[in-house]
Structure formats: C-alpha cells, structure tokens
Amino acid sequence: MTDRYASFVQSAAGRTVVKRFGLPDPPRLRRHHLGDPLLPGPAVLGAATGGRLAEPVGTILTAAGVELRDAAGAGPQDRFGALVYDASGITDSTQLRQLYDFFHPHARAVLPSGRVIVLGTPPQECPTPREATAQRALEGLVRSIGKEFGRGTTAQLVYVTRAGDGVLTSLESTLRFLLSGRSAYVSGQVIRVGAGEATVPADWERPLDGQVVLVTGAARGIGAALATVLARDGARVVALDIPAAGDALAAVANDIGGTAVQLDLTAPDAPTRLADHLASRHGRVDVVVHNAGITRDKTLGRMDADRWDQVLDVNLSSQERINDVLLERGLIPTGGRIVSVSSIAGIAGNRGQTNYATSKAGVIGLVDSLAPTLRERGISVNAVAPGFIETRLTARIPLVVREAGRRMNSLAQGGLPVDVAETIGWLAWPASGAVSGNVVRVCGQSLLGA
C-alpha cells in the first residue's frame, strides 16, 4: 500500500505546502541494506560521572566500525549519526543535570535518521531509592527526545543489568540493532538487557546462520516479510500457515529456500503434529515466532461468541498450547528464543476490537509470566507490539481513520512489514539471548498508549 501523502511531501511542491501550513512532515527513513554501515556519520559517546558502561560500549562500537568522537571536542559545525550516553553513574536526581549538559549542545547536530541511545541501570537493581528514582527519570528524557529531534531520529533507553553471563554480547546485539537501519520504526522504547545464554555470531551479516526458525502465519504480510528477513540472516525457516493459504505459503517458502507446513493451529492435534514434524525434520527448533493472528472486529455489544472465541484461540491460546508441547518435549534447546507478536491494541485498547485487544494483552502476559521460568532453562521470550503497519489489512481501513493511524506517531507515517520483521530478527539472534521479558513497540512512537 502506497502512502501518497508521504510521497508528495518529498517533492518540491510538497515541501512548500508542508512548511506553509504546518502539516505533518514524514521523513524518509533509513532502512537496512546488506553491507550498510551502522551509522551515516560518527557517534558521540558520553558518560555521567562514575558510569560503568562507556568503556565496554566504546569497545563494541569501535569494533563495529563506528567512528567515535569526544563530546568535548565537537565543533559547532559537526554532525553526528548518533548520540550515545552512559547514564549508569547517575545515583541522585541532582545529577540528572549531566544529561542536559551532554544533550543540549548536540541536540541540533544529529543527522537525518540519526540515533539517540541512553544506557542505564534497571531501577529495581539500584541499591537506594534515590538512585532508582534517578534511573527511572531517564524514561521521560528518552521519550521526549524521540518526539523532539525529528527528521527520522529515534531515541531508546537500554537498561543493562550489573552482572551476569551474556550481558555484553546481548548489549552488542542490541546496539547493532538500534543504531542500524533495522530499527527505523522503533522509537521511544525501554529495552532491558539481563543475563542469559548469548552467542556472538561468526558474521554479523548472518546472525542466524544454521538456526532453525519456525514462523507461523508466514503466507502473507508481516509473516512473509519475517520469513524473508530471517532467511536473509541465515536461518533455515519453517514457514507455517493454514491450508487455505497453501499456494501463497509455498511461494514464500520457495523464494527463501525454506520449507512449508500447512496446519490449522486451532486443531486439537496441531501442537503434537507440529512437534512431530520439527522433531523428525530438524531435531529441534531454535526460534519460535508466533506471528499467526486474525481479527473479527465488532463492538462488544454486537459481537457474537464465535468472533470472540476464534480471535482468542488463534491469537493467544494456540501460542500457549504450542509452547507447552515444544517445551515439554525439549525441542526448544538451551539458547532458544520465543518471540510473539502482540499489538499496541493490547497496550492501549481499541474500539471495536475488545477480542483482539484482549488476546494481544494476553500475549504480553505470556511474556511476563514465562520469562523468569524460561530464563532458568537458558531460553528467552519477548514480544513485539506493532502499531500502524502498511499491509493489505490496513489498506481496508476508512481513509480518515487510516490517515490518523499513519500520522499519530513521532515519525508521522505508517511502518512497513519489514520493520516488524527486523525487530523480531534481532530478538531471534543467538547474540540477543540475554534480552528477555521485553515488549518492544514497532510503532514509530505512536501516541496511542504512549
């Protein structure tokens, strides 16, 4: 689906109209292409007094080919691809002034589609209430920067645990994702990097090399984009969808060199049949991506029971049944990852979608409840929550509602299926194994649920 307004804005006439009437100004976003550098320019790395993360982050960025600049030596004409700040040393609210001192001089020096990343300590790990208070304050800073800097710039807060296996590896994977074009439509997010199983890939361009990845709902839209991105990153993709989508599913599987499985996930024997297939063909499944989902929209007072039951069964209960069988049979090994697709409707609710919003909020509950248990088994579980994504389904939305969905975010445009796929891809990397229990919104920092 084409966003004609966004295309018009990029023209000379469009630039004039937007400036004159103060209309939404969707920027051209930087997206990932093989061989791209992480950033379009150098990065400034700063740190609060006593910060513990600047040194390892500097090492990570230098190894990734990022040119680092000293904040003190930056001139008024310099422009930067990213501003990265280690705020882990802030232990009292009076020290928050250091944030202003770093960001104020550089706020207008970020290149289009630049990146802002603030690193901190999870408030629950802070030894004093004052430190926890100061670290929690970072969320307000980051979300405001995401709405202020403009021109496609995104801003994220990464809370990094103080100790544990896999922390630095997953911090590297997270920085590589957030700085690159892969995170084009992710902004204003709080990401937590804890301890867990994490493995550095031999090649960061193929971070899923040799991994067996199951993608449900893979025949069209986000699912097809997912299969393509994961295969590009080196995965052996098992693409699953209902028999009625068999032709489209086969086309996707053929295009990426994967395999197709036609299966109705709501069938009573579906989990067992799926587990048998994975066991016989691959012996395991390293990553399970629960993408399959449906909508059956009606206001609650007009909704029949079948519409409620179908949506809850496909979008939520089927995920639980599949997880139970795969975990019970040990088919998801240590270092495995589960990624579920939620929605901002599950965070903010949506008129006419009580069934859908309930199911997607349940997906968030699934992540919250499973993360502590699966961490003990070396398995991560996360969710992504897409906002307005340009698909054949959103193309059917009435024009006024569709335009509101596109513009009511910090990037003033809808996202693409590839934006969701890239985010799930990052969570699926073995290097991201210490990133668990997160719900990452892929919504351009939507005003809904913000």
Side-chain angles (χ1 to χ4, degrees):
M1 181 171 57
T2 302
D3 185 343
R4 295 181 179 178
Y5 175 80
S7 300
F8 170 70
V9 164
Q10 301 300 328
S11 68
R15 302 304 306 161
T16 300
V17 170
V18 165
K19 187 174 181 180
R20 178 172 297 178
F21 295 101
L23 297 175
D25 186 8
R28 191 185 303 276
L29 301 182
R30 173 172 60 97
R31 290 188 167 90
H32 175 71
H33 299 92
L34 286 175
D36 283 354
L38 283 185
L39 290 170
V44 178
L45 175 60
T49 303
R52 61 188 170 85
L53 297 168
E55 183 176 346
V57 166
T59 301
I60 288 169
L61 297 184
T62 300
V66 175
E67 179 188 352
L68 294 180
R69 297 279 184 86
D70 183 10
Q77 303 305 315
D78 289 339
R79 295 294 178 265
F80 307 106
L83 305 178
V84 182
Y85 190 75
D86 172 16
S88 64
I90 295 177
T91 59
D92 187 276
S93 62
T94 59
Q95 298 171 345
L96 292 170
R97 170 60 188 269
Q98 294 179 75
L99 298 169
Y100 172 87
D101 292 340
F102 175 77
F103 285 107
H104 173 71
H106 306 305
R108 300 182 182 181
V110 181
L111 291 166
S113 284
R115 301 289 186 258
V116 174
I117 298 177
V118 176
L119 302 140
T121 300
Q124 65 271 22
E125 292 186 13
C126 294
T128 68
R130 283 182 175 269
E131 182 174 348
T133 299
Q135 290 295 312
R136 179 59 177 79
L138 301 177
E139 295 189 28
L141 169 84
V142 167
R143 291 195 169 111
S144 297
I145 286 176
K147 295 177 179 180
E148 280 189 9
F149 279 24
R151 299 193 301 164
T153 296
T154 63
Q156 327 289 350
L157 171 60
V158 181
Y159 283 131
V160 184
T161 192
R162 292 183 183 276
D165 295 336
V167 175
L168 291 183
T169 297
S170 288
L171 176 58
E172 179 172 6
S173 78
T174 300
L175 291 173
R176 283 179 175 269
F177 169 70
L178 294 177
L179 292 173
S180 75
R182 298 176 189 265
S183 62
Y185 203 60
V186 177
S187 189
Q189 297 306 289
V190 178
I191 295 164
R192 291 169 172 80
V193 179
E197 296 283 337
T199 305
V200 178
D203 181 358
W204 280 103
E205 290 284 13
R206 291 179 62 83
L208 287 168
D209 214 11
Q211 299 282 292
V212 178
V213 180
L214 169 68
V215 178
T216 69
R220 299 182 180 86
I222 291 172
L226 259 169
T228 300
V229 165
L230 298 174
R232 178 205 68 193
D233 285 355
R236 289 182 285 165
V237 177
V238 180
L240 182 151
D241 216 310
I242 57 175
D247 290 344
L249 181 67
V252 170
N254 289 336
D255 284 346
I256 64 171
T259 58
V261 176
Q262 297 183 27
L263 184 64
D264 180 354
L265 294 178
T266 63
D269 62 345
T272 301
R273 289 172 58 192
L274 176 58
D276 289 344
H277 174 85
L278 293 170
S280 63
R281 292 291 296 271
H282 303 284
R284 71 185 195 284
V285 58
D286 299 296
V287 183
V288 177
V289 181
H290 292 293
N291 169 69
I294 62 172
T295 57
R296 297 289 186 269
D297 296 351
K298 285 283 185 181
T299 56
L300 188 58
R302 297 177 181 273
M303 184 184 300
D304 58 77
D306 283 345
R307 287 176 182 264
W308 179 275
D309 293 341
Q310 289 172 19
V311 169
L312 268 293
D313 199 21
V314 173
N315 295 4
L316 179 59
S317 299
S318 68
Q319 293 190 23
E320 294 178 303
R321 293 192 295 267
I322 290 170
N323 288 342
D324 288 346
V325 172
L326 295 181
L327 290 167
E328 286 170 4
R329 293 180 56 171
L331 289 172
I332 304 177
T334 298
R337 281 85 61 213
I338 298 172
V339 187
S340 294
V341 177
S342 179
S343 168
I344 62 170
I347 298 171
N350 202 16
R351 186 182 187 278
Q353 287 193 316
T354 52
N355 50 0
Y356 184 77
T358 300
S359 70
K360 294 303 186 178
V363 168
I364 295 172
L366 180 151
V367 169
D368 289 344
S369 59
L370 279 182
T373 301
L374 294 186
R375 187 175 290 115
E376 297 175 0
R377 297 175 58 172
I379 298 171
S380 70
V381 56
N382 297 281
V384 298
F388 187 97
I389 305 297
E390 304 279 359
T391 66
R392 63 187 180 87
L393 295 178
T394 52
R396 299 173 184 170
I397 297 174
L399 177 62
V400 174
V401 178
R402 186 167 69 238
E403 282 301 302
R406 282 171 167 161
R407 310 304 163 208
M408 290 178 62
N409 61 74
S410 296
L411 300 176
Q413 61 195 284
L416 302 180
V418 71
D419 298 322
V420 182
E422 295 282 17
T423 307
I424 291 174
W426 154 60
L427 293 170
W429 296 350
S432 301
V435 178
S436 190
N438 288 267
V439 179
V440 181
R441 291 172 40 157
V442 187
C443 63
Q445 200 178 9
S446 172
L447 300 183
L448 295 174

